[in-house]
Amino acid sequence: MSCSLARRLQWGTVSTRATSSPIEPGPPHSLCERRPQVSVERLVDELEPPWRFEGVRFDTYIPDPNHPSQADAVTRLAAFAAGVGAERRDPGGIRGWFSRKPAAPTGPRGVYLDGGYGVGKTHLLASVWHAAPVPAHQKAFGTFVELTNLVGALGFRDTVRVLGGYRLLCIDEFELDDPGDTVLVSSLLSKLVEAGVSLAATSNTLPGKLGEGRFAAADFLREIQGLSAHFQPLRIDGEDYRHRGLPEAPPPYADEVVAKTARTTSGASLDHFPHLLGHLSQVHPSRYGALIEGVRLVCLTGVAPVPDQSTALRLVVLADRLYDAEIPVIASGVPFDRLFGEDMLRGGYRKKYYRAISRLTALARDAKPLGDTDGAS
């Protein structure tokens, strides 16, 4: 983004951006050897659609004719995007009033896309960001995890100051996993709405159902209802487009095939899956994007069911970052649809796990031409 963090905060400079060095051609590298450091400035600068969604627009979304809600969503979201920035006032008084309409909007200032994984919600959310008729430095796009990470890095007050300078905030993969996040995000979004920021979000859970199955939602009903009041829900039905009309995911390969593919592919990483899971516990999820920076192919040996929920949730974040960066994955061991046990797939995080399976399967399919040169197990 062209507007620096220091300019938004108005309290001076921040640390120089520090990242992992891109992987150079040669022998495969190990992600376990990388310990990236991510500055606060980078967290802010990265509040834009990921590379995978840089070129998406409303007219590149292909609605499933069997699910009319998809075409309806395109129409309604395009209208929402066109109205972003119609009237607002910068809380710091720098830009003054921006007005295209004589009256301030009433009712929810945001739209909330609810639907299963793979129906194109992120595509549509990124399209809202691209279509909104305001400069790029006045609109932000990030996942729910990135949003909470930003609060952790800046503090609540300065996060309000930074995000309050935008005219649109798009939040992908909206989830409330604990009471602290519920109160935090409810308070944050309330402040942003007061500042005139328009909101758009995606999730697999309707606003009134946020937090169900993950904590005692009834104890925080007031905060959850407050969040819901900021959004107009928009349901999107359909099947996972990543598997619609496509062949099944390739079976796992032999360890030797994975290792050989890593050695013969420029920019590949090679890790033993259990070791990588252990390494993820030592790297904050906000750094997972930097962890895979410069990688062109992820090679994993010994993929096995994830042992516990904390590890599983970290793997979900890694899968999201790999998918955003369009990095193929080739692996040995168990298929990706056996990563999470039945108890996990029946629990409160099941939609996250299914999304991870879906995305890793798509990335495995992308890597199939490379693996097939040596043959599957």
Side-chain angles (χ1 to χ4, degrees):
M1 288 183 177
S2 60
C3 188
S4 70
L5 175 63
R7 195 167 142 205
R8 288 192 182 283
L9 287 177
Q10 302 175 21
W11 49 250
T13 59
V14 294
S15 60
T16 303
R17 177 182 301 183
T19 65
S20 300
S21 301
I23 289 183
E24 300 295 337
H29 293 242
S30 169
L31 296 179
C32 293
E33 296 174 353
R34 310 184 101 196
R35 297 183 179 276
Q37 299 297 317
V38 179
S39 69
V40 174
E41 182 178 23
R42 175 170 177 165
L43 292 177
V44 175
D45 287 345
E46 290 183 342
L47 290 177
E48 55 188 18
W51 171 256
R52 176 179 284 271
F53 299 99
E54 183 174 304
V56 304
R57 300 293 188 274
F58 287 123
D59 58 5
T60 63
Y61 181 81
I62 304 175
D64 186 341
N66 295 319
H67 298 279
S69 62
Q70 295 187 10
D72 178 63
V74 173
T75 300
R76 294 173 62 182
L77 290 172
F80 170 82
V84 169
E87 180 174 321
R88 67 150 293 163
R89 182 182 181 183
D90 181 80
I94 297 174
R95 285 188 292 269
W97 289 94
F98 292 81
S99 179
R100 291 183 184 176
K101 297 180 181 180
T106 59
R109 288 198 63 96
V111 61
Y112 186 98
L113 313 183
D114 175 71
Y117 49 92
V119 297
K121 297 189 302 298
T122 303
H123 182 134
L124 291 172
L125 187 68
S127 298
V128 169
W129 189 92
H130 288 298
V134 294
H137 67 269
Q138 293 182 359
K139 48 190 177 181
F141 184 109
T143 65
F144 181 82
V145 171
E146 289 171 328
L147 183 63
T148 55
N149 288 342
L150 186 62
V151 177
L154 287 178
F156 182 83
R157 180 177 298 179
D158 283 326
T159 300
V160 172
R161 293 177 63 192
V162 170
L163 298 182
Y166 291 94
R167 302 170 79 176
L168 171 67
L169 173 61
C170 297
I171 310 170
D172 200 18
E173 301 155 14
F174 203 113
E175 295 286 354
L176 297 181
D177 299 337
D178 60 57
D181 281 349
T182 301
V183 177
L184 174 70
V185 176
S186 177
S187 300
L188 175 63
L189 296 188
S190 294
K191 292 291 186 181
L192 296 180
V193 168
E194 291 174 6
V197 181
S198 295
L199 307 172
T202 73
S203 185
N204 303 118
T205 309
L206 285 169
K209 301 295 184 181
L210 288 170
E212 273 193 3
R214 290 181 283 282
F215 62 89
D219 295 338
F220 295 85
L221 184 59
R222 177 175 57 82
E223 286 81 3
I224 293 173
Q225 289 176 335
L227 278 174
S228 180
H230 298 316
F231 297 101
Q232 178 65 44
L234 180 57
R235 177 72 185 179
I236 304 177
D237 301 301
E239 301 173 358
D240 188 343
Y241 79 92
R242 288 180 284 267
H243 307 300
R244 194 189 306 159
L246 295 175
E248 293 184 1
Y253 294 90
D255 287 347
E256 303 78 37
V257 173
V258 174
K260 181 178 180 181
T261 303
R263 290 194 302 270
T264 57
T265 303
S266 176
S269 66
L270 176 62
D271 291 277
H272 189 50
F273 186 70
H275 294 168
L276 179 59
L277 294 183
H279 183 59
L280 293 180
S281 68
Q282 303 173 38
V283 179
H284 193 275
S286 64
R287 302 175 182 177
Y288 288 2
L291 180 71
I292 61 173
E293 188 172 39
V295 177
R296 298 180 182 176
L297 172 69
V298 168
C299 302
L300 301 172
T301 59
V303 172
V306 180
D308 58 79
Q309 188 159 267
S310 295
T311 302
L313 291 173
R314 287 191 289 268
L315 180 60
V316 168
V317 178
L318 179 64
D320 288 339
R321 300 293 79 78
L322 289 170
Y323 184 76
D324 289 344
E326 299 184 302
I327 301 175
V329 178
I330 183 171
S332 66
V334 304
F336 286 133
D337 60 5
R338 290 170 52 191
L339 279 173
F340 309 105
E342 288 299 320
D343 289 345
M344 292 184 184
L345 296 178
R346 288 195 300 264
Y349 298 103
R350 59 188 178 278
K351 292 179 180 178
K352 285 189 174 185
Y353 299 147
Y354 278 118
R355 183 180 77 236
I357 291 171
S358 173
R359 291 184 165 185
L360 288 172
T361 296
L363 296 176
R365 187 181 296 119
D366 292 343
K368 190 173 186 298
L370 294 171
D372 283 351
T373 61
D374 293 298
S377 61

